[in-house]
Amino acid sequence: MTKKLYLPVLVALVVVLSSCGSKMRGLSSDYFTTNPVVLEAVGGKVPVTINGKFPEKYFNKKTVVEVTPVLKWKGGESRGKTAIFQGEKVQGNHQSIAYKMGGNYTMKTSFDYVPEMAQSELFLEFKALKGKKTYTIPAVKIADGVISTSELIKNTLGSANPALGQDAFQRVILDAHKDNIMFLIQQANIRTNQLSKAKDFKNQVQSIKDAVNKRISSVEVSAYASPDGGVELNTGLAKNREKNTEALINREFKKGDLADVVVDGKYTAQDWEGFKELVSKSNIQDKNLILRVLSMYPDPEKREQEIKNISSVYSTLAKDILPELRRARLILNYEIIGKSDEEISKLAKSNPRELNIEELLYATTLTENPAEQEVIFTKVTEYFPGDFRAYNNLGRLAYQAGNLAKAESFFKKAYSINAAPEVNTNLGLIALVQGDNATAQTYLGKGAGAKELNEIMGNLYVAQGDYNKAVSAFGDVKSNSAALAQILAKDYNKAKNTLDSIKNADAYTSYLKAVLGARTNNNAMVIDNLAKAVKQNPSLAKKAATDLEFAKYFTNVDFVAIF
């Protein structure tokens, strides 16, 4: 949108310049535009582009004019970059303005934002120089105030989610017990010296079945033949080894209380995978050549022949590798069942030393009471002082309670133990709250792997004025900061959805809804939510009363009544 300002005050400029010998006619008006039309804080700055025009027969050929943007407010001002223009007969390197044709010009400048700029005015100050004489012309106002919605990031940061040092608690842990029954070459009968293995395996299965906190998942017998010899021979061998081993295990199970345990049997005729694994782990000569043969020849008979052709190592294979593949594997898969939530919660209060560190950290997720969580985390720091997570999480609680100094202290303690991604992310958040974006970026650059990193990066991008990047970083996070980024990026539908989905809505949630209402011309949304915001946080009344987001409501009876 273009803003047209009539500037009769510039008549004074014409008069002064005419007194320098110019034949300029009187000037009734001039045009200036600013982009944006209403100035806006972006990343802690107030950038503005000013487009102006020197009209025809206006600019004295021997005159230099300095134009300086100045943002003024009650009790202060900030001066922008001066632009210098010169007449046609002036020797210099500045933009030359023709007397007959006049000329257009563009100025870009930026001011460091301060809160007082919300009620400010942007002026252009002119100074004309001809020879040794200087003429100061009255300033011309070209814009009103600064929209400071982006600065709300300093308020919404309080509801950001610091990174959590998560527990690794698993209620169900998968485990396995394995053993092998070995066979002689080209034999499937189970030798006497292997029978004890079946008995030991049976005892292991029985102990798992009898354990209160363990549960059998499956019992497997997997028989193999080594890849030397023909496929037909090896198929018969592997099949008979599986049959004999399964029968032996079933007989052992019937001796105990295991008759109901099902044994799943299978066989592999030629164990090329096992052969490859053993060769890879060995130090035998020409190991790489053997592995290359396996990759080049998929046909089992061709593989066997090529390997036998490597006569220098085949005797080693026959002695050290192949005998290990003539086996039946006994596999017991089972689950270790951890304590119930009720047990963990109870022990965390009554006897926390009975819990390991993962159980203690998990216990904090079973209560929503910050005081109870703090007690448990403190116990963890006493029992396990070498673990960073409890210190980090105590800092998280302090941050959420609004105690930034305490939070920073805990985060630094956690950092001294382990500079983990979560800790770096949280120290980055602290730096961001302190307004130190450069330090925040350094810490966050080491936060890869922290679950909450993207959310904190979203806050940083808002503070830097990169709103589209912020929206992308926030993703589906439902927070005040995420909604703020979406409003600033003009994604109003997404912002509304985010604001409506915030769990712990506060005064700034309501204020942002009011801003959204103003930008989408929803009067009821503005009035209702501003009233709610001011009720929740009376200090917002002063901000709202001068916030240019609500400029068109300043004379609205309902709006005024809120204050």
Side-chain angles (χ1 to χ4, degrees):
M1 181 173 118
T2 301
K3 184 173 183 181
K4 182 176 180 182
L5 300 172
Y6 294 91
L7 306 170
V9 72
L10 286 184
V11 172
L13 179 60
V14 176
V15 173
V16 171
L17 292 180
S18 296
S19 68
C20 299
S22 169
K23 296 183 179 179
M24 296 182 188
R25 57 181 173 79
L27 184 66
S28 60
S29 65
D30 202 282
Y31 297 91
F32 292 92
T33 62
T34 62
N35 184 19
V37 175
V38 181
L39 306 191
E40 188 169 353
V42 179
K45 302 285 186 180
V46 182
V48 61
T49 298
I50 302 165
N51 295 305
K53 179 181 180 181
F54 289 112
E56 299 172 0
K57 298 182 180 179
Y58 171 80
F59 209 106
N60 187 281
K61 295 181 181 181
K62 297 181 180 180
T63 301
V64 173
V65 176
E66 295 179 358
V67 184
T68 304
V70 184
L71 195 58
K72 299 183 178 183
W73 59 90
K74 185 177 180 180
E77 68 174 30
S78 179
R79 303 183 69 81
K81 185 178 180 181
T82 296
I84 303 176
F85 306 92
Q86 63 190 40
E88 294 173 277
K89 293 187 177 181
V90 175
Q91 296 296 315
N93 297 319
H94 306 296
Q95 182 179 344
S96 181
I97 305 297
Y99 170 71
K100 281 189 177 182
M101 299 296 295
N104 298 316
Y105 63 91
T106 297
M107 303 169 58
K108 290 187 176 182
T109 193
S110 179
F111 307 95
D112 291 333
Y113 176 79
V114 295
E116 292 79 7
M117 289 179 178
Q119 290 180 282
S120 62
E121 297 173 318
L122 179 62
F123 289 85
L124 289 183
E125 292 186 352
F126 297 88
K127 185 164 71 172
L129 303 95
K130 185 179 180 186
K132 295 183 179 180
K133 293 185 177 181
T134 300
Y135 305 89
T136 301
I137 310 303
V140 179
K141 188 175 82 168
I142 62 171
D144 284 296
V146 174
I147 292 176
S148 58
T149 303
S150 65
E151 291 295 305
L152 285 172
I153 189 63
K154 295 174 182 176
N155 307 103
T156 62
L157 269 172
S159 61
N161 292 307
L164 177 69
Q166 297 189 359
D167 65 86
F169 173 73
Q170 288 181 278
R171 191 176 312 283
V172 178
I173 300 174
L174 302 181
D175 206 345
H177 172 76
K178 300 176 182 179
D179 204 347
N180 289 321
I181 288 181
M182 307 304 296
F183 296 87
L184 295 177
I185 187 171
Q186 295 186 10
Q187 290 188 21
N189 59 299
I190 299 175
R191 293 171 290 164
T192 303
N193 64 358
Q194 298 295 304
L195 295 177
S196 62
K197 293 183 178 181
K199 184 176 181 179
D200 291 342
F201 184 73
K202 181 262 295 184
N203 291 337
Q204 187 67 35
V205 174
Q206 187 72 59
S207 69
I208 297 299
K209 184 179 181 181
D210 293 341
V212 175
N213 66 329
K214 296 177 183 178
R215 182 169 58 225
I216 296 172
S217 299
S218 64
V219 174
E220 302 173 12
V221 170
S222 189
Y224 302 85
S226 60
D228 56 319
V231 174
E232 184 177 350
L233 172 63
N234 287 334
T235 299
L237 273 175
K239 185 176 181 179
N240 287 329
R241 286 170 179 173
E242 180 272 319
K243 179 182 176 181
N244 294 340
T245 304
E246 186 177 342
L248 173 62
I249 296 299
N250 280 323
R251 286 196 301 273
E252 287 293 335
F253 281 5
K254 287 178 182 179
K255 295 176 183 178
D257 182 26
L258 300 173
D260 58 335
V261 176
V262 177
V263 179
D264 179 25
K266 57 184 177 180
Y267 63 89
T268 300
Q270 292 188 309
D271 189 11
W272 286 109
E273 287 301 318
F275 179 82
K276 180 179 178 181
E277 181 182 353
L278 291 177
V279 169
S280 298
K281 293 178 179 179
S282 73
N283 295 316
I284 64 176
Q285 185 181 359
D286 291 328
K287 175 173 72 174
N288 292 332
L289 177 58
I290 296 170
L291 295 175
R292 195 155 56 245
V293 168
L294 294 179
S295 65
M296 290 174 61
Y297 301 102
D299 180 72
E301 293 185 0
K302 184 65 175 175
R303 277 181 173 180
E304 183 182 352
Q305 184 58 49
E306 291 296 327
I307 290 172
K308 286 181 176 179
N309 288 339
I310 310 173
S311 57
S312 60
V313 297
Y314 190 74
S315 59
T316 303
L317 292 174
K319 177 184 176 183
D320 298 333
I321 300 296
L322 296 178
E324 297 298 316
L325 301 176
R326 300 163 188 146
R327 71 202 191 284
R329 301 188 69 195
L330 309 178
I331 305 170
L332 164 62
N333 295 306
Y334 62 95
E335 299 173 346
I336 302 173
I337 313 299
K339 298 179 181 69
S340 69
D341 287 357
E342 185 179 359
E343 289 175 302
I344 291 174
S345 291
K346 186 176 180 180
L347 286 171
K349 295 176 182 178
S350 63
N351 193 5
R353 284 194 180 275
E354 287 292 312
L355 301 175
N356 61 41
I357 186 171
E358 304 306 336
E359 290 170 332
L360 274 172
L361 291 173
Y362 176 70
T364 64
T365 69
L366 302 177
T367 174
E368 295 184 359
N369 187 322
E372 293 180 0
Q373 292 173 341
E374 184 176 3
V375 169
I376 298 172
F377 284 136
T378 302
K379 289 294 183 184
V380 176
T381 64
E382 294 173 8
Y383 303 157
F384 307 97
D387 195 291
F388 80 94
R389 291 173 294 177
Y391 291 105
N392 177 82
N393 296 350
L394 283 168
R396 188 174 191 261
L397 288 176
Y399 184 93
Q400 291 170 334
N403 192 333
L404 299 185
K406 187 177 180 182
E408 184 176 17
S409 176
F410 276 124
F411 291 148
K412 286 184 175 179
K413 174 62 177 177
Y415 189 88
S416 70
I417 297 171
N418 185 349
E422 293 82 2
V423 184
N424 275 290
T425 296
N426 291 336
L427 287 172
L429 176 58
I430 292 293
L432 192 55
V433 173
Q434 295 169 342
D436 189 348
N437 292 354
T439 298
Q441 189 155 4
T442 299
Y443 276 122
L444 294 175
K446 302 172 186 176
K451 182 181 176 182
E452 297 82 358
L453 175 63
N454 282 346
E455 178 182 349
I456 309 306
M457 288 299 299
N459 283 279
L460 174 63
Y461 293 141
V462 173
Q464 292 175 332
D466 197 338
Y467 306 137
N468 289 325
K469 208 168 182 179
V471 170
S472 177
F474 279 120
D476 292 328
V477 169
K478 307 300 181 186
S479 71
N480 288 337
S481 294
L484 174 61
Q486 291 151 11
I487 289 172
L488 295 170
K490 297 180 172 57
D491 192 346
Y492 299 138
N493 288 332
K494 189 170 185 178
K496 185 177 187 308
N497 177 264
T498 297
L499 290 167
D500 289 342
S501 303
I502 292 175
K503 267 189 176 182
N504 301 311
D506 58 17
Y508 287 98
T509 311
S510 300
Y511 196 91
L512 287 170
K513 284 185 177 182
V515 170
L516 183 59
R519 291 196 176 198
T520 56
N521 298 311
N522 188 328
N523 293 354
M525 191 174 181
V526 173
I527 303 303
D528 292 347
N529 284 288
L530 263 187
K532 189 174 181 181
V534 170
K535 184 177 181 180
Q536 293 170 306
N537 184 350
S539 68
L540 288 175
K542 184 177 179 181
K543 174 175 176 56
T546 58
D547 192 337
L548 291 181
E549 291 279 10
F550 309 117
K552 64 183 179 181
Y553 294 91
F554 286 167
T555 57
N556 181 290
V557 175
D558 294 328
F559 180 89
V560 174
I562 295 173
F563 313 110

